[in-house]
Amino acid sequence: MSATVSSTEKRIVSSCLLSPTAYNIPLFVRFAEGLNIPKMYNLLTRYVEQFDLFRTTYQIQSEIYKRTGDEAPTIEVRTFGQLDKERLISEQLITVRDRALVRILICRVLDEPADYLFINAHHVLLDGFSMNLFLQELTEAYLSGEAAESQLHPPVLEVDGPDSQQPASVISFGSYAPFKSRLLARQSNEVHYLNDRFMLEPGYVRKHSDFAVALTAFSLSLASLLHSGTVYLAYPYLGRDPRNYRALGNFVQLIPFAVQLEEELETGTDQLIAGIQARIFSGFAGRDHYGELIRTEPMSSMNIFRDIIFDYKSGSLIAKKLNETHGIELEEAAGYQDEKYGLHFSVYKTGEDWEISVISSEYRLEDLQALQSLFRSNLRSLYASAGSGLRVGDLVSLTSREEEPRGAEDSLQAQGGEIYSKIAEIVSALLGETDVQADVSFFDLGMDSLLLVKLKKRIREAFNINLKISDFFNFHTAGLLAGKIKDHLKEAN
């Protein structure tokens, strides 16, 4: 069976062509009492045969097609003396072109009483929330001895296009360019994984949702790190379509977020949090924020979705203790392959216990450590001072004003006219555009992931320089790319 793909799937597949293994969700479930291996094997077999999702693959040509076959993914059973999780993950990574987009291993471990179930699913099939729903139901069926009729449902088909009754996005990206330049100044194109855990002291006053407080703390931390009065990021929102709440394959929606702090420094932090919370909850309502933004704003602003993602989770949303009595617990793999964003800052809250996970494929380690420390400090301050009159300026210091972006002609002069002319010639040949201006995004002109691979090759041939695909997202105009190439050539000489 073959079908066209939704816009969400198309975005994921296109990104996978740029970074083949970046959309893996490898997870371990620890069974403290050991596993009844035949029982678990039979249950898993029943589930993967029941849901078409597990038998879905993608054919990528000039168009992208989704195919559902008859052959279920293989369920392996292995015995380990000691379980090396990082090595197992590296052996089981998936690319979107693979014949099976789910890997399942039942792991018997000889040197400890616990056994493990390892599942790695490609993000184009499942998000983390859907995976957790599946694991919860699987655990209940395993403990009860028999799989009841599944409460999980096939996803409701995504309908592209905005509701004509919905207002356009009110988020303005007019000052995005200087914010982006500050981010670029801190990029080093290295992959880093950081984890931190801490407790909030009991007795803190809660006047707002934990999500709103955490998002505010992160915004203030990012402003301090960049010395920027403007903060842009995106955060995932679950439940874009309430009908998909218990649907396997239910994708989150990235919602853009922006806050201007120059005029807020004398504002009380409680007032800032309340305003952010009101905007968050009024903006849900099933709206397609991503679709609205991509249709109403220049594509150049969409680099936000590679720059910074703030991902708040809680124990009530994604359960790690699948069954406390029998010691069945979800362990999110430290090697979670989520390098599709420049910086993915995840917060997981259970009671007063906070866990911070930072994954970055772009930014310097010292900056990530500083951001993590700032967040922890600001979060404590916001909870401890609820109602006490703490000002925004008490937590963030803007030491320099943002510079206005230079005009296209100034940019051309600074970045080298000859290099720009050659880039414009290459892009023009690829896209059939006669006029490739210095400050117009390649993606506005019609660039897609397949053409991007060709652009990368032709840039290498023209300048003897091997840029990464991510460079073309960050330097997405002829002017910006000319500056990037000029800097590389200077270093080489």
Side-chain angles (χ1 to χ4, degrees):
M1 184 173 66
S2 177
T4 55
V5 299
S6 69
S7 61
T8 300
E9 292 169 308
K10 188 175 293 185
R11 287 196 296 270
I12 293 176
V13 170
S14 296
S15 294
C16 292
L17 299 177
L18 310 179
S19 182
T21 60
Y23 275 72
N24 284 231
I25 308 178
L27 301 170
F28 289 92
V29 182
R30 184 178 186 272
F31 291 78
E33 300 173 350
L35 260 172
N36 182 328
I37 291 177
K39 184 177 179 180
M40 178 57 74
Y41 185 92
N42 290 334
L43 271 176
L44 287 166
T45 300
R46 188 179 307 183
Y47 272 110
V48 297
E49 290 177 349
Q50 177 181 358
F51 291 107
D52 292 347
L53 184 90
F54 293 111
R55 304 191 305 279
T56 297
T57 57
Y58 289 80
Q59 182 177 354
I60 305 162
Q61 298 173 340
S62 57
E63 292 290 332
I64 302 171
Y65 295 96
K66 178 167 54 177
R67 299 190 183 280
T68 302
D70 297 326
E71 185 178 349
T74 302
I75 301 169
E76 292 187 61
V77 179
R78 285 201 208 170
T79 299
F80 298 86
Q82 291 181 325
L83 186 60
D84 186 338
K85 294 179 183 177
E86 290 188 11
R87 180 176 179 180
L88 184 58
I89 291 171
S90 66
E91 292 173 353
Q92 299 297 326
L93 292 179
I94 301 167
T95 76
V96 75
R97 296 182 184 273
D98 287 349
R99 292 180 60 185
L101 299 181
V102 179
R103 304 277 176 87
I104 303 175
L105 275 75
I106 298 173
C107 306
R108 184 180 177 216
V109 184
L110 298 180
D111 289 354
E112 62 174 294
D115 292 324
Y116 290 83
L117 172 64
F118 170 78
I119 299 181
N120 185 22
H122 199 285
H123 207 316
V124 76
L125 297 185
L126 292 157
D127 61 19
F129 179 61
S130 295
M131 176 69 88
N132 194 253
L133 290 175
F134 170 68
L135 292 175
Q136 288 181 52
E137 185 166 302
L138 177 69
T139 300
E140 291 173 10
Y142 173 77
L143 294 175
S144 67
E146 186 64 30
E149 183 176 349
S150 177
Q151 298 300 306
L152 299 173
H153 308 291
V156 176
L157 291 177
E158 176 180 329
V159 179
D160 290 338
D163 187 325
S164 59
Q165 301 301 314
Q166 292 175 343
S169 173
V170 296
I171 297 175
S172 170
F173 286 84
S175 303
Y176 181 72
F179 175 81
K180 176 67 178 179
S181 69
R182 292 172 186 271
L183 287 176
L184 291 176
R186 295 175 179 271
Q187 288 185 329
S188 60
N189 298 314
E190 297 177 79
V191 179
H192 298 293
Y193 297 88
L194 298 179
N195 291 283
D196 184 27
R197 300 181 75 107
F198 63 92
M199 297 280 291
L200 286 179
E201 288 78 0
Y204 281 168
V205 178
R206 283 184 171 78
K207 298 180 62 178
H208 311 286
S209 70
D210 289 319
F211 176 30
V213 177
L215 180 58
T216 304
F218 184 74
S219 301
L220 297 175
S221 303
L222 191 58
S224 292
L225 181 72
L226 298 178
H227 303 298
S228 171
T230 306
V231 172
Y232 294 94
L233 55 102
Y235 60 85
Y237 167 57
L238 286 166
R240 171 188 53 195
D241 187 336
R243 296 171 297 170
N244 279 7
Y245 178 75
R246 292 196 64 81
L248 292 183
N250 179 31
F251 293 107
V252 302
Q253 181 188 357
L254 288 181
I255 296 184
F257 173 86
V259 61
Q260 307 283 338
L261 294 171
E262 288 97 334
E263 309 303 324
E264 300 278 359
L265 296 181
E266 297 302 318
T267 301
T269 54
D270 281 337
Q271 184 179 342
L272 181 66
I273 297 168
I276 287 175
Q277 177 167 287
R279 195 173 107 202
I280 290 169
F281 290 120
S282 65
F284 284 168
R287 285 174 57 185
D288 179 8
H289 290 265
Y290 185 99
E292 287 178 22
L293 189 65
I294 203 170
R295 282 183 288 270
T296 59
E297 296 285 347
M299 184 63 190
S300 59
S301 68
M302 295 308 296
N303 284 280
I304 189 172
F305 297 111
R306 269 199 57 81
D307 291 336
I308 297 175
I309 303 296
F310 177 74
D311 191 355
Y312 175 85
K313 308 172 185 177
S314 69
S316 60
L317 182 67
I318 296 181
K320 289 194 176 182
K321 294 189 181 299
L322 298 170
N323 186 280
E324 196 161 1
T325 303
H326 294 276
I328 302 176
E329 187 168 355
L330 172 64
E331 297 181 358
E332 290 189 271
Y336 178 51
Q337 302 292 306
D338 197 20
E339 297 156 23
K340 56 186 177 289
Y341 306 121
L343 193 161
H344 192 165
F345 194 99
S346 295
V347 176
Y348 189 96
K349 180 180 182 294
T350 304
E352 302 304 324
D353 183 51
W354 293 74
E355 182 178 349
I356 304 173
S357 174
V358 180
I359 304 172
S360 173
S361 59
E362 300 287 342
Y363 301 104
R364 296 193 298 253
L365 178 60
E366 57 268 29
D367 286 333
L368 302 178
Q369 291 170 331
L371 183 61
Q372 202 174 48
S373 178
L374 282 166
F375 175 76
R376 186 170 58 243
S377 174
N378 285 334
L379 190 73
R380 291 184 187 278
S381 296
L382 291 178
Y383 277 117
S385 61
S388 68
L390 186 70
R391 300 176 311 116
V392 172
D394 295 331
L395 295 180
V396 58
S397 174
L398 305 180
T399 58
S400 60
R401 301 285 295 180
E402 295 181 10
E403 298 177 1
E404 293 297 320
R406 292 179 297 173
E409 293 189 7
D410 291 339
S411 178
L412 271 180
Q413 184 178 2
Q415 294 167 341
E418 291 184 8
I419 296 175
Y420 160 75
S421 297
K422 185 61 179 177
I423 293 171
E425 178 186 330
I426 294 171
V427 173
S428 176
L430 282 174
L431 301 179
E433 287 285 337
T434 56
D435 184 19
V436 179
Q437 297 179 19
D439 58 349
V440 175
S441 170
F442 300 141
F443 302 98
D444 273 346
L445 298 175
M447 186 70 69
D448 59 28
S449 56
L450 298 177
L451 289 172
L452 208 53
V453 175
K454 295 181 180 179
L455 176 60
K456 179 180 183 295
K457 179 181 177 183
R458 295 189 186 182
I459 291 294
R460 184 180 69 235
E461 293 170 348
F463 299 103
N464 193 27
I465 180 174
N466 190 23
L467 298 177
K468 300 192 305 182
I469 284 291
S470 62
D471 290 329
F472 294 94
F473 281 95
N474 293 324
F475 304 92
H476 50 86
T477 69
L480 290 173
L481 186 58
K484 173 70 171 176
I485 293 173
K486 183 180 178 182
D487 289 344
H488 268 271
L489 295 177
K490 279 183 178 180
E491 291 176 7
N493 293 328

